[in-house]
Amino acid sequence: MDDLKKRKLDEAGNGEFASKEELRFLIEPLAKPQLVDLLAKLGSQYPSIAEEIKSIASADPAHRKLFVRGLAWNTTSETLRAAFQEHGEIEEGAVIYDKATGKSRGYGFITFKNMESTQQALRAPSKLIDGRLAVCNLACEGLSGTSSAPDLSLRKLYIGSLSPEVTSEMLLNYFLRHGEIEEGSVAYDKDTNESRFHTTNTKTTPSSLKEAKAALLEYLHATRSLHFLDADNMCKNSPSFLHDLLAKTLSHSQTQTLTLTLTKRSISRYLRYHPINEFEPFFESVGLTPPEYAPLLPRDMIYLNDDPLLMDNYQTLCNYGVPRTKMGKIFKLAPQVFRYGPRVLSSKLREYENLGVGPGTLAGVVACSPCVLVGGVDFEFVKVVEKLKGLVGKDGDWIGSNFIDEGCCNWGVMLRVLCLLGRVYSEEQLGDLIVRHPCLIFEESGGCVLSLVVFLFKLGFSMDQVSRMFIEFPEIRVGKFLSNLKQCFLFLTEIEMEASEIERIFHSHCLVLGSFTLKKTITLLTFLNVGKKRLCRTVSDDPLLMKSWALGKRIEPLVNSYLEYESKELKKKFMLKLGYVENSKKMNEAIKLFRGKGAELEERLDFIVRAGLDYEVVCEMIRNSPRILSQTTDRINKKIEFLVNEGYSISDLASFPSFLSYSPRRVKLRFSMYNWLKEQGVIEAGFALSTIIACSEKAFERLYVKRHPSGLQVWQDLKAQISSDI
């Protein structure tokens, strides 16, 4: 009571109390640092003022809420709260999960009941939670309703050297592990609509990149005790990680300058307090892109030395001669290689050496086709290596350097291809062929060659013809060559060219047809401005014309020279020789029926004459049945041979010349049925050609087929069996 009276007397002796308005007038001109010092001094002298300051500060959750990032994927909200309970009572704490997948996003929030606990937690911002070093900071700062998030320039990262396939969604999913993202996307060029490989305009100078490499090398080798060659390779071959590291260092720097040249010291300081995930630069340095290695990142480790199996197998391959930058293919195609127990991988390599596969050959093959290290010894691989060494006479590096396809090699198929080619070539010829065209063996493990051979066999090629074609094979991939041939075959089929003509064109021009890619049929018909029949005739006359219709070439409408060549005027001379009356109705009708050039019509006429008929008789035949010359010489020859084999003479043909104008299928079908009926004894032999061929199908069935009880069934079976070729 006495102290209270004394304090009142002292205050009264110094004058009256200042009003609230007078104090506000005096405080307003003061700067923020002056006010902070004044309140801190008063709070230290008077506990009531200190309590008031604490109450006001703690009232705003913004001063009590922490953002915790770098959490392990298996960290739960309970584990997160337990890790921060040592600093004081927690009001709320939770790990943030992705709504779509239900998986942790790798970050969370902690809200303490008072600000003192928050400040205590911030004094030790790094915590080891579930094996991962998590980092925390204030979610936001300042008074309620006023955001104090860092300037946008310090929160925005430049992501360089992105693969063109990386999308905005892939980019966001990858960086979500580092914290909540406000905005982010891949930048695309307005003209080409292709990725620009970066997302912001922040620049990384060559000097800062050099400093980052030096700082990272020192950290990995000196601080983390990684082998120097491994650390050096990680620094030289992980550009995306270095750009990311520079951006993070810049965001933690106190300067606001975007063109800041970061020093080795500032980067080293960042690495000292912000441990990196060493698996990221490691996977990138072996040849993987961020989207490729993201699924390979372990969830509970950030240090390479924490995965001894991985590093032991990795070092084994490096020491054996597999380039570090080629290891990425092994991670993609045979990741189980890096999970082998101690000395297992070494024993597999020694087994191949004991079978005669040299270290250089094995290292080159493993870098391209790592599946030889999966499972037991691949004896087909050993046989292929032996054969290739004997054929090409080169070292093992040649084998590894000629792998064409991404993926594991099928050594069994390759061995079959070598055996197949070995039957038609000598060792010297085959070795020279493989050296000139390694794609014959290495493209899809030789599968393309097998597909090409099967395709050519279906077109009537013999193995000798195929072997001669390979000797003159053009400088083109076998798969592309086969694709070009199939496109040409499809085109000829779609314009309704006869099978025999297609076969003739492929036999004559196979190497040319496989060396270019033909446009689609509908495109050619449109741009050439022709119908299928005319296009078919044009290609038959000059198959090499198709080469001018390849992809990438401009197509002009087909000129009318061919029509002019087949005009009435050009055929008149030939038709006058046959005895037609010039400009007569019969002559005009015959012009429409004739197919082919004048020289071809002469050739067909001469062929029929050479078969044994008199010239005048032939001319009379053609005048009576002009369709005879609408067929090729080959087809006319087949019909005459068939007729002779059936026991008829050329004179019989003279009495019924229309026989040559009927389709091969009709001729063979009628004679097959006629011969069967003779065998059954229901009709007599010696029927005239016109009797067998000329009558309609209904009349033939009524007059002859139905004479036998099984006649109709035999007739239907013959229809199904007989093809159109004789």
Side-chain angles (χ1 to χ4, degrees), residues 677 683 687 691 699-708:
L677 291 171
I683 61 174
F687 275 25
T691 303
F700 188 80
E701 289 180 9
R702 186 180 70 256
L703 297 174
Y704 308 112
V705 174
K706 292 183 179 180
R707 289 188 182 185
H708 192 279

Side-chain angles (χ1 to χ4, degrees), residues 3 68 104 125 135 274 335 350 388 420 451 496 512 583 591 725:
D3 293 338
V68 187
S104 169
V135 180
H274 302 83
R350 281 196 301 271
L388 288 177
L420 174 66
S451 299
E496 300 174 4
V512 178
N583 296 328
I591 288 176
D725 291 331

Side-chain angles (χ1 to χ4, degrees), residues 349-447:
L349 296 171
R350 281 196 301 271
E351 285 184 48
Y352 280 117
E353 288 186 27
N354 295 335
L355 292 172
V357 182
T361 302
L362 189 54
V365 171
V366 167
C368 301
S369 181
C371 293
V372 296
L373 297 179
V374 178
V377 173
D378 193 332
F379 292 100
E380 291 177 330
F381 158 65
V382 177
K383 292 180 181 178
V384 169
V385 171
E386 290 177 354
K387 280 185 172 291
L388 288 177
K389 280 186 176 181
L391 291 171
V392 303
K394 296 188 177 184
D395 56 21
D397 292 338
W398 179 86
I399 298 177
S401 63
N402 280 283
F403 273 91
I404 298 173
D405 302 295
E406 293 287 337
C408 291
C409 183
N410 190 327
W411 301 101
V413 174
M414 188 182 291
L415 184 60
R416 287 196 292 274
V417 172
L418 286 173
C419 293
L420 174 66
L421 297 179
R423 296 172 188 167
V424 294
Y425 298 109
S426 66
E427 288 191 2
E428 184 179 353
Q429 289 176 325
L430 182 55
D432 181 64
L433 178 64
I434 293 174
V435 170
R436 286 188 291 110
H437 301 291
C439 61
L440 296 177
I441 301 299
F442 293 103
E443 187 177 351
E444 292 188 9
S445 307

